[in-house]
Amino acid sequence: MCAFYKGDKMDEKYMRLALKESKKSLLCDDVPVGAIVVKNNVVIAKGHNIKESTGVATKHAEIIAIEKACRKLKSWRLDNCDLYVTMEPCLMCSGAIIQSRIGKVVYGITNEKFGFARGVNSVFDLEKHNHKVILVGGVCEKEIEPILKDFFKGKRKQ
């Protein structure tokens, strides 16, 4: 089951850390998306897009953060973990989120082109599974949006 909630002050705090992580993608000339995994109010993993610098299509911020969290916890199950990501996850990342059992996903800006987090309930029919995902969207959106717009505006000029 997928529930959607508005964010709170803690969500804003962690989203600002994900935003800081996203700026590292700019150094690689990649889409500025950052993600962090939090467990029991402790950041256990960070990631940012490195698809351009590595030439690997799966090197999204969410995937990198999930892989690091799994290594840190020595488990593929990220029970009681929350993922904060500056842009709504795509289909690939949404699948990884569900597979890793992350319980809450907080994203900043909606991804109108490739975003899929809002659609996971309809595709994965989570009612038949024990795992439930809480979605929180629009957290720090006003801070994130100009960074992404500037990045893509610069790309169109090239």
Side-chain angles (χ1 to χ4, degrees):
M1 176 180 203
C2 232
F4 191 86
Y5 298 101
K6 286 283 190 188
D8 60 22
K9 291 291 181 199
M10 288 303 284
D11 290 336
E12 290 176 15
K13 171 189 168 185
Y14 292 124
M15 185 59 71
R16 285 193 176 88
L17 293 175
L19 180 57
K20 186 176 179 180
E21 187 69 20
S22 77
K23 293 175 182 175
K24 294 177 183 178
S25 297
L26 293 171
L27 301 174
C28 308
D29 198 33
D30 213 322
V31 179
V33 176
I36 64 167
V37 177
V38 176
K39 183 169 183 162
N40 300 323
N41 293 317
V42 176
V43 175
I44 62 168
K46 299 177 186 179
H48 59 276
N49 280 356
I50 56 170
K51 184 167 76 171
E52 293 297 330
S53 63
T54 62
V56 178
T58 58
K59 294 299 184 179
H60 290 201
E62 301 94 322
I63 301 293
I64 293 164
I66 288 169
E67 288 175 350
K68 287 180 179 179
C70 289
R71 283 193 299 272
K72 176 143 186 150
L73 298 178
K74 296 180 175 61
S75 175
W76 62 267
R77 289 182 182 90
L78 299 180
D79 296 318
N80 303 311
C81 289
D82 301 332
L83 176 73
Y84 293 81
V85 59
T86 55
M87 183 184 282
E88 178 185 7
C90 68
L91 177 59
M92 173 184 69
C93 294
S94 294
I97 289 162
I98 291 166
Q99 289 294 318
S100 63
R101 307 296 194 263
I102 287 173
K104 178 178 160 184
V105 176
V106 180
Y107 63 88
I109 192 166
T110 300
N111 184 347
E112 294 297 334
K113 226 176 186 182
F114 299 109
F116 205 77
R118 293 166 290 141
V120 295
N121 199 27
S122 60
V123 173
F124 294 101
D125 193 7
L126 297 176
E127 292 290 326
K128 295 179 182 175
H129 304 284
N130 293 331
H131 183 62
K132 296 179 184 350
V133 178
I134 296 169
L135 293 177
V136 179
V139 177
C140 299
E141 186 175 17
K142 287 179 176 45
E143 296 169 51
I144 296 165
E145 187 176 35
I147 294 167
L148 284 159
K149 280 187 175 182
D150 288 348
F151 174 80
F152 286 115
K153 192 184 300 180
K155 287 293 178 191
R156 285 189 286 276
K157 288 180 183 178
Q158 293 179 357

